[in-house]
Amino acid sequence: MNSKLETQNSKLRVAIFGGSGYGGSELLRILLLHPNVEIALVTANEHAGKAVGEVHRNLLGLTDLQFTRAPEDLAPWGELDCVFLALPHGQAMEIAPRLPAETAVIDLSGDFRLRDASSFAQHYGREHSAMKAQAEFVYGLTETNREVIRTARRVANPGCFATATLLGLAPLVANNLLSERVIVDAKTGSSGSGAKPASNTHHPQRSNSFYAYKPFTHQHVPEIEQELSSIGDWQNELVFMTHSLPVARGIFASIYTLMKEEISAADARAMFAEFYRDSFFVRLVEGSPDINWVKNTNFCDIGFAARGRQLVVFTAIDNLVKGAAGQAVQNMNLMFGLDEKTGLMLMGSNP
């Protein structure tokens, strides 16, 4: 990868494949103001020829970029430093193996997160066609895998639910403190379903409603357990339930655990503070976090409640930033020797 000095003296040439969706939109919003990045290519086949500001009205007047069709021949794009794949599940595995080996690739889909082909087929409903390429990808949860990401050329960005869950469980698993099952009750806004309207995200259906979906079958479950097993001695039963929130952005997870010994909220907070001492984007709050505090930012806010051996960890993230595009840029910064906060000092709003 480029050295820090080289990167600071010249801009990284990056491409975004799939720039018309919410993930692509957030990548554009962040990277257009990144001091070390030049966006060389942004694709969106159905919007080819349209100005970015015409499709993403929040970016009107901020860029002259236009969407293009994804090139069939990727070899000429070898001069790119980094490619972000913000595509629907199943498409990245067709593109990533064709990209030049020297080009960094960060995939925001689920195509390269799981190391087991049968698990992928079970949870994503299709066979994996690029398991050889999958072996080159490292898991991109920045706060737990920072040193591996620094030297990686291929990164599988975590899922949004996985990010919120793993950041709430990693210190407990690393310190071998958990007993029995862990229950994760997680809720997400409608943007997690993507930019194209569907029956479950249509505003009249979603705005005054609340419901569970994918009980015991969510595709982030094997991803979460795979990563927990790499963090520590994870042998607990995981009950993972997801729910639809009547909001556009944000994930809130309540993680119910039983500890091996009694613990106070203050002790839990001290342990998390030590574990995340070098992680700027993890903030520890008193009581419960709130998704309003993290919207449009790359922060994960974490709070605690405790009674005897029972510890509840609350986490809140913006599913499109820390749960997707922001974490992808954070990983790019690490891969190219930049301060991982570069371009990500995004402040939320109040209210």
Side-chain angles (χ1 to χ4, degrees):
M1 287 300 163
N2 295 21
S3 72
K4 185 171 184 177
L5 181 62
E6 290 171 335
T7 304
Q8 288 178 334
N9 291 338
S10 62
K11 292 197 173 186
L12 300 171
R13 286 175 52 81
V14 309
I16 301 169
F17 281 64
S20 63
Y22 290 143
S25 173
E26 288 295 273
L27 282 170
L28 284 161
R29 181 173 73 93
I30 295 167
L31 292 174
L32 282 171
L33 295 178
H34 194 294
N36 300 99
V37 164
E38 173 193 351
I39 302 175
L41 172 72
V42 55
T43 77
N45 290 352
E46 62 184 295
H47 295 292
K50 293 181 181 178
V52 163
E54 180 184 350
V55 176
H56 300 307
R57 304 295 288 185
N58 60 313
L59 302 178
L60 185 65
L62 299 177
T63 178
D64 295 326
L65 283 168
Q66 289 191 337
F67 289 112
T68 67
R69 295 190 65 83
E72 292 294 328
D73 183 7
L74 300 177
W77 293 98
E79 75 274 13
L80 291 169
D81 294 295
C82 185
V83 171
F84 293 91
L85 300 177
L87 298 161
H89 301 310
Q91 295 187 21
M93 70 175 76
E94 305 298 327
I95 294 174
R98 296 162 47 211
L99 288 166
E102 64 272 16
T103 303
V105 178
I106 301 174
D107 178 32
L108 279 71
S109 80
D111 283 13
F112 295 103
R113 295 172 189 159
L114 299 181
R115 293 190 289 269
D116 183 80
S118 61
S119 182
F120 178 89
Q122 176 185 347
H123 288 88
Y124 286 92
R126 58 173 295 156
E127 296 299 318
H128 202 293
S129 61
M131 285 306 293
K132 182 178 179 180
Q134 195 284 329
E136 302 173 359
F137 279 77
V138 303
Y139 190 67
L141 187 67
T142 319
E143 282 72 19
T144 62
N145 221 13
R146 186 174 280 113
E147 296 310 311
V148 177
I149 294 167
R150 286 188 201 280
T151 58
R153 291 183 179 270
R154 300 286 190 269
V155 170
N157 220 54
C160 50
F161 276 125
T163 297
T165 302
L166 288 166
L167 290 175
L169 281 174
L172 304 178
V173 173
N175 286 285
N176 194 27
L177 297 176
L178 294 174
S179 174
E180 301 180 28
R181 70 165 59 113
V182 171
I183 299 173
V184 179
D185 176 10
K187 305 165 180 69
T188 186
S190 57
S191 58
S193 298
K196 289 191 175 181
S199 59
N200 62 324
T201 57
H202 191 44
H203 184 73
Q205 169 70 23
R206 190 90 179 226
S207 63
N208 293 301
S209 183
F210 187 81
Y211 51 88
Y213 67 101
K214 295 184 179 178
F216 294 113
T217 62
H218 199 282
Q219 66 272 15
H220 290 179
V221 172
E223 171 187 348
I224 291 167
E225 296 201 295
Q226 174 182 276
E227 182 62 9
L228 289 175
S229 295
S230 72
I231 292 170
D233 184 22
W234 170 256
Q235 298 184 28
N236 302 73
E237 178 187 3
L238 177 66
V239 178
F240 186 79
M241 293 292 158
T242 53
H243 305 79
S244 163
L245 274 178
V247 300
R249 302 173 79 116
I251 283 179
F252 189 98
S254 298
I255 303 170
Y256 302 94
T257 71
L258 187 65
M259 309 292 283
K260 292 179 178 178
E261 299 178 355
E262 289 192 8
I263 189 170
S264 67
D267 288 340
R269 181 188 176 93
M271 176 180 48
F272 273 64
E274 172 62 21
F275 189 87
Y276 290 123
R277 64 187 181 279
D278 298 321
S279 297
F280 176 80
F281 291 113
V282 173
R283 302 189 301 194
L284 305 182
V285 304
E286 294 293 339
S288 173
D290 188 317
I291 56 174
N292 280 327
W293 303 342
V294 295
K295 282 182 182 176
N296 302 301
T297 81
N298 198 51
F299 288 110
C300 173
D301 284 2
I302 302 179
F304 311 92
R307 183 179 64 183
R309 291 171 57 204
Q310 298 177 59
L311 176 69
V312 185
V313 183
F314 306 107
T315 65
I317 65 170
D318 185 313
N319 56 296
L320 298 177
V321 188
K322 184 57 175 169
Q327 186 158 219
V329 174
Q330 190 178 354
N331 286 328
M332 179 202 74
N333 287 338
L334 280 175
M335 295 165 78
F336 287 93
L338 297 169
D339 186 314
E340 66 186 72
K341 301 188 297 294
T342 308
L344 291 169
M345 298 297 284
L346 309 168
M347 290 180 283
S349 58
N350 182 30

